């Protein structure tokens, strides 16, 4: 190799080495792993259990009354509408019984959701004929019939609301009294239509289904369970619930106790 070419090659090699060293020295250091932020400790939820059971009517239930309708609703509701205030299923299963805790107002209610309160006017009857709701919350009323209904609600002698619902599919929400108690609902246009709403100042309540079954989540401890039906004597039973456990409760009334 000629001396000139040899010197050029050495110069290029030295330059490349210097550039590489400079690049490596200026490179950003590898990113460090971020330190996780400490998690704030949260309090464990209070222990809870379940009360579950079945409510029945023993003996032969009374035959439901049949109410005569009017010509204006004949096509929609038929000529007779049965009284649904006492709904008894197979084996005496009693529907629409309100189950609640007598000590519910003294228990923590944060994070506990009460069942929604919906009353539907269907085939010229209120469905359900009895329900439970939180006092001071809204009662939703729906008209599923292509006829006009008038919904009048009262707590004893105190009017709660009175409103006409002329359109099929119409819904409205009306506030219930802030004081717990019983609200009677009826239709002025069709006087056989009646329902009852039992209200509470706590969320520890439910109603039995068509099989007479109920299930209620409650805080652990000793409670008194109250079983209420508009046409039967009120019943109450004390029991103790442990966290994570389910306690069974069976209640029955004799058919001759029906009002």
């Amino acid at each position: 190799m000629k001396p000139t070419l040899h010197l050029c090659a050495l110069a290029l090699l030295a330059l490349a080495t210097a550039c590489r060293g400079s690049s490596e020295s200026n490179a950003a250091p590898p990113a460090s792993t971020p330190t996780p932020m400490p998690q704030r400790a949260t309090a464990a939820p209070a222990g809870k259990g379940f009360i579950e059971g079945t409510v029945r009517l023993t003996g032969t239930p009374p035959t439901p009354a049949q109410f005569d309708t009017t010509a204006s609703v004949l096509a929609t509701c038929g000529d007779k509408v049965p009284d649904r205030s006492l709904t008894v299923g197979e084996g005496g299963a009693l529907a629409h019984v309100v189950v609640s805790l007598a000590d519910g107002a003294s228990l923590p209610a944060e994070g506990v959701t009460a069942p929604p309160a919906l009353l539907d006017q269907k085939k010229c009857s209120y469905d359900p004929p009895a329900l439970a709701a939180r006092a001071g919350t809204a009662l939703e009323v729906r008209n599923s019939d292509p006829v006009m209904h008038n919904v009048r609600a009262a707590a004893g002698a105190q009017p709660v609301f009175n409103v006409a619902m002329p359109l099929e599919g119409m819904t409205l929400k009306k506030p219930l009294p802030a004081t717990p108690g019983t609200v009677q609902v009826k239709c002025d246009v069709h006087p056989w239509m009646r329902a009852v709403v039992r209200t509470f100042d706590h969320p520890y309540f439910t109603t039995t289904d068509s099989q007479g079954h109920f299930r209620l989540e409650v805080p652990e401890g000793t409670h008194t369970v109250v079983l209420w039906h508009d046409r039967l004597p009120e019943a109450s039973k004390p029991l103790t619930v442990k966290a994570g456990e389910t306690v069974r409760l069976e209640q029955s009334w004799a058919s001759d106790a029906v009002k």
Side-chain angles (χ1 to χ4, degrees), residues 13-24:
L13 179 60
L15 180 61
T17 302
C19 290
R20 185 168 61 251
S22 174
S23 174
E24 290 175 353

Side-chain angles (χ1 to χ4, degrees), residues 34 37 57 70 96 145 184 187 192 227 249:
M37 295 296 292
L57 192 71
T70 58
H96 314 306
D145 291 337
Q184 300 288 340
C187 175
W192 64 85
L227 300 104
L249 186 156

Side-chain angles (χ1 to χ4, degrees), residues 126-171:
Y126 283 116
D127 184 29
L131 56 83
R134 189 86 181 258
T137 62
L139 171 67
E140 183 176 356
V141 185
R142 177 189 301 151
N143 183 7
S144 293
D145 291 337
V147 298
M148 184 183 80
H149 294 297
N150 174 263
V151 188
R152 181 192 296 271
Q158 184 66 37
V160 178
F161 61 85
N162 183 8
V163 61
M165 300 187 70
L167 303 176
E168 181 179 8
M170 181 179 179
T171 63

